[in-house]
Amino acid sequence: MSNVCLNVSSNSSCVIKELAKTIKTLKKSSSIDFLVEEMSSAVQDLQNEIKSLSNLLSPAELILPGSKETEKTTSTIHLLEVLPVVILSSLLIDISSRIQDIVKTVEELANVAEFKAEADDKAKQNQANINRIVPSQQNDDQQTMKALERV
C-alpha cells in the first residue's frame, strides 16, 4: 500500500513540476498529457488497493485472550488500524483531482496567452545548429588534422 501511495505522490509531483516549467518558459508542454495519464493510472491503482482492503477488514470486536476466535481473526485487519491509511489515500486522490483541474486551467492560460509549442521551438533550434559550425568543433577538427599530419 505504501508503494502505491508513493507512486501517486511522485506522479503528482511530476505533473506540478511540468506545469511550473510550462508557466515559467511560456511554452506548451509536450509531455503533460502523458504525465497526467500516469498520475491517473496511479490513482486508479490506489483506489483498487483500497477496495482490496475491504476484504481484510473486520469489525472492531472484543477478543478474549483464551478464546478460539483469536486464531480465526489473525488474518483480518481492524478498522482502526486501517483508518489512517485510508485517510491518507483519500487525501492523495483529492489532491490528484485538484491537480487535474490545475492542468486544465494552465492549458486554458496557454491557449489565451498563445504559448509556443515546445516541439516547434526545439525544431528551430536544431535547424539552426545543423547549419552552424561551433568554434569548439573547428578546434577539434584542427587538432585532428595536426595529429594526422604528424603521423
Side-chain angles (χ1 to χ4, degrees):
M1 185 77 171
S2 64
N3 288 337
V4 178
C5 288
L6 284 173
N7 195 18
V8 171
S9 64
S10 174
N11 287 323
S12 299
S13 172
C14 289
V15 171
I16 291 173
K17 287 178 185 177
E18 190 66 26
L19 290 174
K21 179 182 159 190
T22 297
I23 293 172
K24 183 177 180 180
T25 60
L26 302 177
K27 294 178 184 159
K28 293 180 183 179
S29 173
S30 59
S31 62
I32 193 70
D33 293 331
F34 176 73
L35 293 173
V36 168
E37 186 61 36
E38 279 187 346
M39 182 182 69
S40 298
S41 174
V43 167
Q44 186 63 41
D45 291 344
L46 180 59
Q47 289 173 338
N48 291 339
E49 194 74 23
I50 291 172
K51 287 177 185 175
S52 70
L53 280 178
S54 66
N55 297 335
L56 299 175
L57 291 177
S58 68
E61 54 190 36
L62 180 63
I63 300 173
L64 300 175
S67 84
K68 295 179 181 177
E69 292 181 26
T70 55
E71 296 173 12
K72 182 176 81 174
T73 59
T74 54
S75 64
T76 61
I77 302 172
H78 293 285
L79 181 61
L80 293 175
E81 295 173 357
V82 175
L83 196 58
V85 175
V86 173
I87 290 172
L88 173 68
S89 301
S90 175
L91 289 172
L92 285 172
I93 292 168
D94 188 44
I95 288 170
S96 66
S97 172
R98 293 178 189 269
I99 290 173
Q100 288 180 342
D101 292 340
I102 294 170
V103 168
K104 290 176 187 173
T105 304
V106 169
E107 287 176 349
E108 289 175 15
L109 172 68
N111 289 334
V112 170
E114 298 178 357
F115 287 3
K116 294 179 183 178
E118 196 175 53
D120 293 343
D121 198 36
K122 287 182 181 179
K124 288 178 183 177
Q125 287 177 352
N126 288 340
Q127 186 64 28
N129 288 339
I130 289 172
N131 297 331
R132 186 177 60 168
I133 297 176
V134 181
S136 64
Q137 288 175 341
Q138 286 179 334
N139 290 340
D140 290 342
D141 291 341
Q142 289 173 354
Q143 290 175 354
T144 303
M145 290 302 290
K146 288 179 183 178
L148 288 173
E149 288 174 359
R150 284 187 219 148
V151 174

